[in-house]
């Protein structure tokens, strides 16, 4: 009897314990829920205060706005829109690779107005900028401007200037060495990022235009050929600079010399920026007294595309005074008669026809020449 009572007491104890646990378990859930709710409310209050106090809402809106632009790369406009800022962070290897992209279909599926890329290779300031400002005025949409200067130079052009923020990432360039060609390739690569640039003109800070913009645009756009000097000089300053180690990529009969100031079309520009074969040869074996900027592009393009080259430069210079550099003209030299003498006596071929208009640009003009150039520009230069 006692055993049975003990069993009943144990059973009753188990039942009581089980019931007590079944009632306690939901209470712990309730406490956990209330604690979580309190945390959420506290966090919400802190968030609201932070937004009001520090303007976090602006940042959130900006993030949402940026996220909404992720659809932009899926549009054609993303691929054809030129870079709004030229000072990118690509190194030369990345830049040249990006610039070498070429559409396989030649017909553009959008309205395209071909532009001339004016590329200024300079150590620093552009002392003749005021003359160029007048030259470009009223022709927006038909040109692009790129400036390669020493990396330490900070150009301070007014926002209204056509040169404002037109500097490209640059490195020091030394005359006669591969660094000069690197600078020219860098200019071409940056200009190629704008799909509307069709022609590329290399200029120095001492260059001036000899005609107004309309004449120059028509001359370049209607030409069947690109203007880069490439002639076979059998003397000591031509073939005399050839190194037999350039073979087999470059034979002595293919060796050419020419002025570094050129105008080329888009296809030739792509050839230059994507070249690795000839670049290595010239960098290694065209060293002083072989001046690489006089031979690299003329030789390479003669080998690759001689049929589209006019084999002449259209930038006038005066070598009559002798020496390693052409004559420089200052204030006292610049008169209407001086400019007219440049026009006279010209004889060349344009689209396989005789022409008396051979030079579109001229150099070298000192900073002191700016004032007289501005004075005669409307009467003689046409702008």
């Amino acid at each position: 009897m006692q055993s049975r009572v003990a069993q009943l007491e144990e059973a009753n104890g188990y039942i009581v314990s089980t019931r007590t646990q079944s009632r306690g378990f939901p209470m712990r859930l309730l406490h956990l829920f209330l604690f979580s709710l309190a945390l959420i409310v506290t966090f919400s209050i802190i968030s609201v205060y932070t937004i009001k106090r520090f303007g976090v809402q602006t940042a959130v809106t900006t993030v949402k706005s940026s996220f909404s632009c992720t659809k932009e790369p899926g549009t054609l406009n993303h691929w054809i829109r030129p870079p709004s800022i030229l000072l990118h962070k690509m190194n030369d290897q990345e830049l040249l690779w990006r610039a070498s992209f070429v559409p396989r279909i030649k017909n553009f599926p959008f309205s395209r107005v071909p532009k001339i890329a004016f590329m200024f290779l300079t150590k620093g300031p552009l002392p003749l900028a005021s003359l160029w400002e007048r030259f470009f005025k009223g022709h927006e949409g038909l040109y692009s401007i790129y400036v390669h200067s020493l990396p330490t130079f900070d150009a301070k052009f007014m926002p209204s200037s056509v040169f404002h923020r037109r500097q490209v990432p640059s490195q020091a360039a030394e005359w006669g060495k591969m660094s000069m060609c690197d600078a020219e390739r860098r200019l071409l690569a940056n200009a190629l990022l704008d799909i509307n640039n069709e022609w590329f003109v290399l200029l120095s800070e001492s260059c001036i235009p000899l005609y107004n913009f309309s004449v120059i645009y028509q001359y370049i756009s209607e030409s069947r050929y690109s203007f880069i000097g490439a002639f076979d000089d059998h003397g000591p300053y031509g073939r005399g600079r050839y190194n037999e180690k350039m073979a087999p990529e470059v034979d002595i009969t293919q060796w050419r010399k020419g002025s570094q100031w050129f105008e080329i079309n888009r296809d030739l520009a792509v050839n230059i920026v994507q070249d690795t074969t000839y670049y290595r040869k010239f960098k290694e074996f065209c060293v002083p007294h072989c001046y690489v900027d006089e031979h690299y592009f003329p030789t390479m393009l003669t080998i690759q595309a001689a049929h589209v080259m006019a084999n002449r430069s259209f930038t006038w210079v005066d070598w009559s005074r002798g020496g390693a550099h052409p004559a420089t003209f200052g204030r006292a030299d610049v008169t209407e008669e001086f400019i007219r003498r440049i026009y006279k006596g010209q004889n060349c071929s344009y689209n396989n026809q005789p022409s008396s208009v051979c030079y579109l640009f001229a150099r070298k003009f000192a900073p002191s020449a700016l004032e007289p150039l501005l004075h005669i520009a409307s009467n003689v230069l046409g702008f």
Side-chain angles (χ1 to χ4, degrees):
M1 184 67 179
Q2 291 179 352
S3 176
R4 188 171 181 178
V5 170
Q7 291 177 356
L8 288 172
E9 287 177 352
E10 289 179 6
N12 288 338
Y14 175 78
I15 293 171
V16 171
S17 177
T18 304
R19 288 178 179 174
T20 302
Q21 290 179 7
S22 66
R23 287 196 302 269
F25 186 70
M27 290 298 293
R28 285 198 296 274
L29 280 178
L30 180 61
H31 290 159
L32 182 60
F33 172 75
L34 291 175
F35 178 74
S36 301
L37 182 62
L39 282 177
I40 293 172
V41 172
T42 302
F43 180 77
S44 299
I45 293 172
I46 294 173
S47 298
V48 171
Y49 173 78
T50 304
I51 289 172
K52 290 182 178 180
R53 179 66 178 84
F54 299 104
V56 176
Q57 182 63 40
T58 302
V60 173
T61 304
T62 302
V63 172
K64 287 182 178 179
S65 187
S66 299
F67 180 77
S68 65
C69 290
T70 56
K71 294 182 180 180
E72 181 66 17
T75 66
L76 181 62
N77 189 52
H78 170 77
W79 297 101
I80 65 176
R81 183 177 55 217
S84 58
I85 300 175
L86 297 185
L87 293 178
H88 53 75
K89 295 184 178 180
M90 289 185 284
N91 59 37
D92 278 0
Q93 184 180 13
E94 294 167 338
L95 173 64
L96 295 174
W97 177 81
R98 173 62 184 87
S100 67
F101 289 3
V102 178
R104 304 292 292 179
I105 299 177
K106 295 300 182 182
N107 295 326
F108 295 94
F110 57 92
S111 178
R112 178 178 183 262
V113 178
K115 297 190 296 184
I116 300 175
F118 291 84
M119 308 179 302
F120 291 85
L121 181 59
T122 172
K123 290 182 178 180
L126 292 172
L128 305 178
S130 297
L131 183 71
W132 285 100
E133 296 270 7
R134 186 185 293 188
F135 169 78
F136 288 119
K137 187 176 181 180
H139 301 283
E140 294 75 14
L142 295 177
Y143 67 86
S144 301
I145 294 174
Y146 303 86
V147 180
H148 187 292
S149 58
L150 288 173
T152 55
F153 178 73
D154 183 20
K156 298 186 182 299
F157 290 103
M158 297 294 291
S160 59
S161 170
V162 296
F163 294 100
H164 181 61
R165 294 184 177 178
R166 301 310 298 175
Q167 282 182 279
V168 303
S170 60
Q171 296 181 30
E174 190 173 354
W175 177 73
K177 296 187 177 181
M178 187 54 91
S179 60
M180 183 67 72
C181 293
D182 289 335
E184 295 169 14
R185 277 159 53 101
R186 203 173 291 123
L187 277 166
L188 285 169
N190 279 281
L192 280 167
L193 298 182
D194 185 343
I195 192 66
N196 292 316
N197 287 333
E198 184 63 27
W199 306 284
F200 304 79
V201 178
L202 183 66
L203 302 160
S204 76
E205 75 278 7
S206 66
C207 286
I208 67 167
L210 290 175
Y211 298 91
N212 63 43
F213 185 92
S214 298
V215 170
I216 289 179
Y217 185 90
Q218 182 179 8
Y219 193 98
I220 292 175
S221 62
E222 294 184 359
S223 175
R224 302 175 193 168
Y225 304 98
S226 289
F227 296 91
I228 178 169
F231 56 95
D232 186 5
D233 180 357
H234 289 248
Y237 304 115
R239 289 195 180 190
R241 295 173 176 174
Y242 175 77
N243 188 327
E244 292 181 353
K245 294 180 180 179
M246 300 285 288
E249 287 80 5
V250 180
D251 185 82
I252 191 170
T253 61
Q254 300 168 317
W255 186 257
R256 295 293 184 270
K257 180 181 178 180
S259 168
Q260 72 178 109
W261 313 107
F262 58 74
E263 179 278 325
I264 57 177
N265 63 28
R266 191 173 184 88
D267 290 338
L268 295 186
V270 171
N271 284 356
I272 287 175
V273 302
Q274 71 181 9
D275 173 53
T276 56
T277 302
Y278 301 101
Y279 180 90
R280 285 194 291 264
K281 286 287 185 176
F282 276 87
K283 186 174 184 178
E284 185 174 1
F285 300 116
C286 184
V287 294
H289 295 285
C290 174
Y291 300 105
V292 67
D293 52 281
E294 295 181 4
H295 297 281
Y296 173 36
F297 296 156
T299 300
M300 182 193 72
L301 294 181
T302 296
I303 295 171
Q304 292 185 337
H307 63 287
V308 295
M309 294 170 58
N311 290 336
R312 67 177 178 89
S313 172
F314 58 22
T315 299
W316 179 87
V317 291
D318 181 4
W319 291 97
S320 63
R321 299 180 186 180
H325 301 281
T328 300
F329 305 101
R331 178 190 296 271
D333 299 298
V334 178
T335 62
E336 289 192 14
E337 180 58 28
F338 170 76
I339 299 297
R340 296 188 194 282
R341 284 202 302 269
I342 296 177
Y343 294 143
K344 289 179 182 178
Q346 296 186 20
N347 185 18
C348 61
S349 174
Y350 177 75
N351 287 341
N352 301 323
Q353 298 295 323
S355 175
S356 60
V357 178
C358 303
Y359 300 109
L360 303 186
F361 306 96
R363 61 187 300 268
K364 301 171 56 173
F365 290 83
S368 62
L370 176 61
E371 184 178 343
L373 284 169
L374 289 172
H375 181 71
I376 67 174
S378 58
N379 289 336
V380 182
L381 303 177
F383 59 89

